[in-house]
Amino acid sequence: MLGLLLLQVLASCLWLGHSEVVDSFDSCPQFFYSGTFPNGALNPNNSARICQRFRNSYHYATLYDRDRRIPVYSAYKYEPGDAKRPPEWWMVEPQLIDKNSLPDMERDWILIEQKKFTLDQIKKSQAILNDYEGLKDLDIGHLSPSGHHFSRESKRASFTFTNVVPLNSTLNDGKWNAYEHKTMPKMTKRCKTTYVITGAVPGNTYVSEERVNRPSHIWSAACCVLDKKPPKAWGAIAENDKNHVEELSLGELEERLTELYGGTVTLFNNACPRK
């Protein structure tokens, strides 16, 4: 009897460890420097914390806004690799539909054909591909971009609608792309590990029949761990209708976000320098 009870407890623990939509990021703290999460000033009313899981592994973490159907931010380790960019097989998060559902992200048609979900059930909880088709002057903008990940699996895991926002096409192809693929490699040259939090400030307009919020700004913060030296940090922010990226100190970025969100924002607590 005692043996059976122990097996039941163990099975319960294993299931909890596999949970993807979680009560806190304690299941995937490795994507946050010193396990320190951004403070509650960024939290929307109806949020979901997602340890982004694909093929039985966590690849990054996302705070998701269920009502606006966009991520608040995605947190990840900057680890660019030589793996080829995978096909754009867009996925959704089953546990936003049903907490007891599949722990891994999956393509919507598989959920419909094999798991008997309806498209309406999926659409109620998150954005889908149809929401981004035919948008004028807007792209699917990653918060945790595939190019910042090492393995093919991690790159694949970035193609989920819980990790993207409607982003101005000129900005996405222009200055923000340059920040992601030119500035970041330059800034991280001597870094042992770089922790990144990239987010989107909710805007006042929506797309796709008022289903998906169009952010007013996109922003990113990085904390770089150096060998035998204190960490260094920096930030960047861009308005979502201009092809311009402003590079800032971490402290300056937090001050800007405090103004935009209307509450004091801290991204890495006191773990990274703000000047």
Side-chain angles (χ1 to χ4, degrees):
M1 186 70 180
L2 179 60
L4 180 60
L5 179 61
L6 287 172
L7 285 173
Q8 288 174 335
V9 170
L10 177 60
S12 174
C13 290
L14 287 172
W15 170 248
L16 288 172
H18 284 176
S19 177
E20 185 160 2
V21 176
V22 291
D23 294 329
S24 77
F25 287 124
D26 290 340
S27 297
C28 54
Q30 66 268 32
F31 302 114
F32 301 87
Y33 180 54
S34 292
T36 301
F37 314 133
N39 73 325
L42 299 176
N43 295 1
N45 291 329
N46 190 11
S47 64
R49 290 167 181 80
I50 306 172
C51 290
Q52 297 280 14
R53 178 177 148 136
F54 178 65
R55 292 191 175 168
N56 207 34
S57 294
Y58 294 138
H59 299 279
Y60 57 100
T62 299
L63 181 66
Y64 190 72
D65 188 333
R66 297 171 186 261
D67 293 335
R68 296 183 177 97
R69 296 185 179 88
I70 58 170
V72 179
Y73 61 75
S74 286
Y76 61 96
K77 291 182 183 180
Y78 176 74
E79 297 175 316
D82 295 330
K84 289 183 180 179
R85 181 184 171 97
E88 293 189 5
W89 292 346
W90 286 99
M91 294 179 281
V92 295
E93 176 48 63
Q95 290 193 359
L96 286 177
I97 310 163
D98 178 359
K99 189 72 181 283
N100 296 317
S101 188
L102 304 174
D104 281 21
M105 59 182 75
E106 189 52 271
R107 284 171 283 177
D108 57 3
W109 67 268
I110 290 179
L111 296 180
I112 293 168
E113 290 187 6
Q114 298 181 12
K115 303 301 177 183
K116 307 306 178 186
F117 283 115
T118 66
L119 184 60
D120 284 341
Q121 283 178 306
I122 300 171
K123 287 174 63 177
K124 185 178 180 180
S125 64
Q126 59 206 289
I128 61 171
L129 183 58
N130 285 352
D131 292 318
Y132 284 87
E133 289 181 333
L135 296 183
K136 186 178 179 182
D137 301 324
L138 292 170
D139 288 347
I140 302 177
H142 287 70
L143 297 193
S144 178
S146 65
H148 286 190
H149 290 276
F150 180 79
S151 70
R152 188 172 175 83
E153 286 75 20
S154 281
K155 290 178 186 290
R156 282 278 304 276
S158 71
F159 288 91
T160 171
F161 287 106
T162 55
N163 178 48
V164 299
V165 299
L167 193 60
N168 178 272
S169 299
T170 304
L171 175 64
N172 190 45
D173 293 334
K175 299 296 185 180
W176 193 255
N177 182 275
Y179 176 77
E180 288 181 336
H181 300 292
K182 293 180 180 178
T183 303
M184 281 294 288
K186 214 180 294 180
M187 296 290 288
T188 57
K189 264 185 181 176
R190 294 187 299 277
C191 300
K192 185 178 177 183
T193 308
T194 303
Y195 296 86
V196 181
I197 302 171
T198 299
V201 181
N204 296 321
T205 60
Y206 285 74
V207 300
S208 188
E209 298 179 347
E210 303 296 305
R211 277 182 39 83
V212 180
N213 186 265
R214 183 184 185 277
S216 63
H217 297 73
I218 188 169
W219 55 269
S220 189
C223 186
C224 152
V225 180
L226 298 156
D227 275 327
K228 299 178 182 179
K229 289 183 180 179
K232 68 174 184 176
W234 63 90
I237 191 167
E239 293 182 52
N240 195 17
D241 59 359
K242 297 176 183 175
N243 188 24
H244 175 72
V245 174
E246 187 177 357
E247 294 178 34
L248 308 163
S249 69
L250 174 60
E252 289 170 335
L253 175 61
E254 289 178 336
E255 288 174 7
R256 188 72 62 83
L257 295 179
T258 293
E259 293 173 6
L260 291 167
Y261 284 97
T264 302
V265 172
T266 57
L267 300 175
F268 296 103
N269 198 358
N270 294 318
C272 297
R274 290 183 156 70
K275 292 183 179 179

